[in-house]
Structures are given as structure tokens and as C-alpha cells.
Amino acid sequence: MQTIKEALAKLDKSKFRSKFRLTMMERIYVKDKGMVTIRRHAVSLIASRLAPAHPVNDGSQTPYNGHPVFVAQHATACCCRKCLEKWYKVPQNIDLSESAQQKIVNLIMAWISREMERPEPKPRVKEKLDITKTAFYL
């Protein structure tokens, strides 16, 4: 069984998993609500959306944004039962034990904590289109 540190290091090597970052708004949400509340949300979301043996819409039940836990689920490969099986050898078609759910929540919270320690992302600024640099400029 791998540690949280080992799991995060392995995820960092994945081109897909390593691209996930909390947005400015998600970071503000975490700061505003606090880690205790975010953990409660994670516990609830994992219990309702991932723990059942046959989750509703498995494979597409986790949005890519809208809540820090959703982003963390994708970043940690805890977004659906197929990913849990691929990354952590957790069999599909069985209910997740309380212990397994707790481990998933701990991994998600470790990812969020680490993400909150990173420098804040720069706000996205849309560049103005310079039509003189387009192929259609006459």
C-alpha cells in the first residue's frame, strides 16, 4: 500500500492528472470555508458519488470544476470507480468500506492542502485580437 506522499508523486508524473489546479475562485472558496468544511464536503461527496458499488453515472459523475473537491478528485484519480481501479487497484462493483472512503478523502485533502500552498495563479486576461496578424487581413 502506497503512502499519500507516494501517491501524489506518482500522480505528478501523469501528464493528465498533473495539469489540474485550483482556480482563483476555488482557492477563495477554500480560504472562506476552511479545511474542516471542505473535508466535510469531501466526505459527503465520496460517500454519495463514489462509495456505492454502482454509482449513478459512473465515469461522468464528477464535474471538472465548481468545487475544489471535484478538481481534487480528478487530480488524484478518485473521480470514478474505473480510475480508482486503474490507479489504486480498488475493485469495481463493491461498496467502498469506511476505511477506503477515509483514505480517499485523506488523499483529496492532501492534494488540496498542497495546492493551497502553491503561489496563487495569475488572473486570466483575454488578449485583444490583432486583426493585422491574422491570415484574413487584406
PDB file of all heavy atoms in Angstrom, residues 19-31:
ATOM      1  N   LYS A  19      -2.056  18.273 -14.601  1.00  0.00           N
ATOM      2  CA  LYS A  19      -2.469  19.580 -15.133  1.00  0.00           C
ATOM      3  C   LYS A  19      -3.559  20.245 -14.302  1.00  0.00           C
ATOM      4  O   LYS A  19      -3.820  21.430 -14.460  1.00  0.00           O
ATOM      5  CB  LYS A  19      -2.930  19.452 -16.584  1.00  0.00           C
ATOM      6  CG  LYS A  19      -4.286  18.805 -16.754  1.00  0.00           C
ATOM      7  CD  LYS A  19      -4.706  18.755 -18.206  1.00  0.00           C
ATOM      8  CE  LYS A  19      -6.068  18.092 -18.305  1.00  0.00           C
ATOM      9  NZ  LYS A  19      -6.536  18.012 -19.671  1.00  0.00           N
ATOM     10  N   PHE A  20      -4.177  19.510 -13.391  1.00  0.00           N
ATOM     11  CA  PHE A  20      -5.260  20.080 -12.600  1.00  0.00           C
ATOM     12  C   PHE A  20      -4.718  21.048 -11.550  1.00  0.00           C
ATOM     13  O   PHE A  20      -3.749  20.751 -10.852  1.00  0.00           O
ATOM     14  CB  PHE A  20      -6.085  18.978 -11.918  1.00  0.00           C
ATOM     15  CG  PHE A  20      -6.931  18.214 -12.890  1.00  0.00           C
ATOM     16  CD1 PHE A  20      -6.500  17.012 -13.411  1.00  0.00           C
ATOM     17  CD2 PHE A  20      -8.156  18.714 -13.317  1.00  0.00           C
ATOM     18  CE1 PHE A  20      -7.261  16.307 -14.323  1.00  0.00           C
ATOM     19  CE2 PHE A  20      -8.915  18.028 -14.230  1.00  0.00           C
ATOM     20  CZ  PHE A  20      -8.468  16.815 -14.742  1.00  0.00           C
ATOM     21  N   ARG A  21      -5.372  22.203 -11.461  1.00  0.00           N
ATOM     22  CA  ARG A  21      -5.037  23.237 -10.482  1.00  0.00           C
ATOM     23  C   ARG A  21      -6.326  23.887 -10.006  1.00  0.00           C
ATOM     24  O   ARG A  21      -7.305  23.967 -10.753  1.00  0.00           O
ATOM     25  CB  ARG A  21      -4.148  24.331 -11.107  1.00  0.00           C
ATOM     26  CG  ARG A  21      -2.785  23.868 -11.553  1.00  0.00           C
ATOM     27  CD  ARG A  21      -1.878  23.666 -10.349  1.00  0.00           C
ATOM     28  NE  ARG A  21      -0.560  23.248 -10.723  1.00  0.00           N
ATOM     29  CZ  ARG A  21      -0.139  21.980 -10.689  1.00  0.00           C
ATOM     30  NH1 ARG A  21      -0.944  21.019 -10.322  1.00  0.00           N
ATOM     31  NH2 ARG A  21       1.098  21.689 -11.027  1.00  0.00           N
ATOM     32  N   LEU A  22      -6.310  24.363  -8.784  1.00  0.00           N
ATOM     33  CA  LEU A  22      -7.461  25.115  -8.294  1.00  0.00           C
ATOM     34  C   LEU A  22      -7.455  26.504  -8.931  1.00  0.00           C
ATOM     35  O   LEU A  22      -6.401  27.135  -9.022  1.00  0.00           O
ATOM     36  CB  LEU A  22      -7.417  25.248  -6.767  1.00  0.00           C
ATOM     37  CG  LEU A  22      -7.595  23.969  -5.963  1.00  0.00           C
ATOM     38  CD1 LEU A  22      -7.489  24.280  -4.477  1.00  0.00           C
ATOM     39  CD2 LEU A  22      -8.915  23.285  -6.274  1.00  0.00           C
ATOM     40  N   THR A  23      -8.627  26.942  -9.342  1.00  0.00           N
ATOM     41  CA  THR A  23      -8.738  28.295  -9.881  1.00  0.00           C
ATOM     42  C   THR A  23      -8.702  29.294  -8.732  1.00  0.00           C
ATOM     43  O   THR A  23      -8.802  28.922  -7.551  1.00  0.00           O
ATOM     44  CB  THR A  23     -10.063  28.480 -10.639  1.00  0.00           C
ATOM     45  OG1 THR A  23     -11.150  28.352  -9.711  1.00  0.00           O
ATOM     46  CG2 THR A  23     -10.209  27.485 -11.778  1.00  0.00           C
ATOM     47  N   MET A  24      -8.608  30.547  -9.078  1.00  0.00           N
ATOM     48  CA  MET A  24      -8.616  31.606  -8.069  1.00  0.00           C
ATOM     49  C   MET A  24      -9.895  31.527  -7.233  1.00  0.00           C
ATOM     50  O   MET A  24      -9.853  31.624  -6.004  1.00  0.00           O
ATOM     51  CB  MET A  24      -8.507  32.972  -8.760  1.00  0.00           C
ATOM     52  CG  MET A  24      -8.389  34.119  -7.796  1.00  0.00           C
ATOM     53  SD  MET A  24      -6.768  34.230  -7.039  1.00  0.00           S
ATOM     54  CE  MET A  24      -5.843  34.940  -8.364  1.00  0.00           C
ATOM     55  N   MET A  25     -11.034  31.329  -7.887  1.00  0.00           N
ATOM     56  CA  MET A  25     -12.316  31.269  -7.170  1.00  0.00           C
ATOM     57  C   MET A  25     -12.381  30.051  -6.243  1.00  0.00           C
ATOM     58  O   MET A  25     -12.899  30.143  -5.138  1.00  0.00           O
ATOM     59  CB  MET A  25     -13.489  31.255  -8.159  1.00  0.00           C
ATOM     60  CG  MET A  25     -13.661  32.557  -8.922  1.00  0.00           C
ATOM     61  SD  MET A  25     -13.842  34.008  -7.859  1.00  0.00           S
ATOM     62  CE  MET A  25     -15.374  33.655  -7.045  1.00  0.00           C
ATOM     63  N   GLU A  26     -11.863  28.923  -6.684  1.00  0.00           N
ATOM     64  CA  GLU A  26     -11.857  27.729  -5.838  1.00  0.00           C
ATOM     65  C   GLU A  26     -10.932  27.919  -4.639  1.00  0.00           C
ATOM     66  O   GLU A  26     -11.258  27.486  -3.527  1.00  0.00           O
ATOM     67  CB  GLU A  26     -11.454  26.505  -6.666  1.00  0.00           C
ATOM     68  CG  GLU A  26     -12.528  26.113  -7.670  1.00  0.00           C
ATOM     69  CD  GLU A  26     -12.017  25.282  -8.829  1.00  0.00           C
ATOM     70  OE1 GLU A  26     -10.786  25.218  -9.066  1.00  0.00           O
ATOM     71  OE2 GLU A  26     -12.872  24.705  -9.523  1.00  0.00           O
ATOM     72  N   ARG A  27      -9.827  28.596  -4.844  1.00  0.00           N
ATOM     73  CA  ARG A  27      -8.905  28.889  -3.734  1.00  0.00           C
ATOM     74  C   ARG A  27      -9.566  29.823  -2.719  1.00  0.00           C
ATOM     75  O   ARG A  27      -9.439  29.633  -1.510  1.00  0.00           O
ATOM     76  CB  ARG A  27      -7.617  29.498  -4.267  1.00  0.00           C
ATOM     77  CG  ARG A  27      -6.775  28.523  -5.075  1.00  0.00           C
ATOM     78  CD  ARG A  27      -5.663  29.238  -5.814  1.00  0.00           C
ATOM     79  NE  ARG A  27      -4.641  29.721  -4.929  1.00  0.00           N
ATOM     80  CZ  ARG A  27      -3.518  29.068  -4.615  1.00  0.00           C
ATOM     81  NH1 ARG A  27      -3.281  27.900  -5.158  1.00  0.00           N
ATOM     82  NH2 ARG A  27      -2.648  29.579  -3.793  1.00  0.00           N
ATOM     83  N   ILE A  28     -10.282  30.819  -3.225  1.00  0.00           N
ATOM     84  CA  ILE A  28     -11.008  31.729  -2.330  1.00  0.00           C
ATOM     85  C   ILE A  28     -12.060  30.962  -1.546  1.00  0.00           C
ATOM     86  O   ILE A  28     -12.239  31.175  -0.348  1.00  0.00           O
ATOM     87  CB  ILE A  28     -11.641  32.889  -3.138  1.00  0.00           C
ATOM     88  CG1 ILE A  28     -10.539  33.811  -3.661  1.00  0.00           C
ATOM     89  CG2 ILE A  28     -12.655  33.663  -2.306  1.00  0.00           C
ATOM     90  CD1 ILE A  28     -11.005  34.820  -4.693  1.00  0.00           C
ATOM     91  N   TYR A  29     -12.741  30.036  -2.221  1.00  0.00           N
ATOM     92  CA  TYR A  29     -13.760  29.219  -1.564  1.00  0.00           C
ATOM     93  C   TYR A  29     -13.151  28.408  -0.415  1.00  0.00           C
ATOM     94  O   TYR A  29     -13.703  28.360   0.688  1.00  0.00           O
ATOM     95  CB  TYR A  29     -14.416  28.289  -2.597  1.00  0.00           C
ATOM     96  CG  TYR A  29     -15.566  27.475  -2.063  1.00  0.00           C
ATOM     97  CD1 TYR A  29     -16.838  28.027  -1.975  1.00  0.00           C
ATOM     98  CD2 TYR A  29     -15.392  26.153  -1.655  1.00  0.00           C
ATOM     99  CE1 TYR A  29     -17.907  27.281  -1.489  1.00  0.00           C
ATOM    100  CE2 TYR A  29     -16.441  25.409  -1.170  1.00  0.00           C
ATOM    101  CZ  TYR A  29     -17.699  25.975  -1.093  1.00  0.00           C
ATOM    102  OH  TYR A  29     -18.750  25.240  -0.606  1.00  0.00           O
ATOM    103  N   VAL A  30     -11.993  27.804  -0.671  1.00  0.00           N
ATOM    104  CA  VAL A  30     -11.318  27.029   0.381  1.00  0.00           C
ATOM    105  C   VAL A  30     -10.939  27.934   1.546  1.00  0.00           C
ATOM    106  O   VAL A  30     -11.170  27.582   2.710  1.00  0.00           O
ATOM    107  CB  VAL A  30     -10.069  26.301  -0.180  1.00  0.00           C
ATOM    108  CG1 VAL A  30      -9.257  25.669   0.950  1.00  0.00           C
ATOM    109  CG2 VAL A  30     -10.467  25.249  -1.195  1.00  0.00           C
ATOM    110  N   LYS A  31     -10.378  29.099   1.253  1.00  0.00           N
ATOM    111  CA  LYS A  31      -9.994  30.031   2.324  1.00  0.00           C
ATOM    112  C   LYS A  31     -11.204  30.496   3.111  1.00  0.00           C
ATOM    113  O   LYS A  31     -11.153  30.603   4.337  1.00  0.00           O
ATOM    114  CB  LYS A  31      -9.258  31.241   1.731  1.00  0.00           C
ATOM    115  CG  LYS A  31      -7.865  30.929   1.256  1.00  0.00           C
ATOM    116  CD  LYS A  31      -7.213  32.158   0.635  1.00  0.00           C
ATOM    117  CE  LYS A  31      -5.865  31.827   0.040  1.00  0.00           C
ATOM    118  NZ  LYS A  31      -5.266  32.981  -0.644  1.00  0.00           N
TER     119      LYS A  31
END
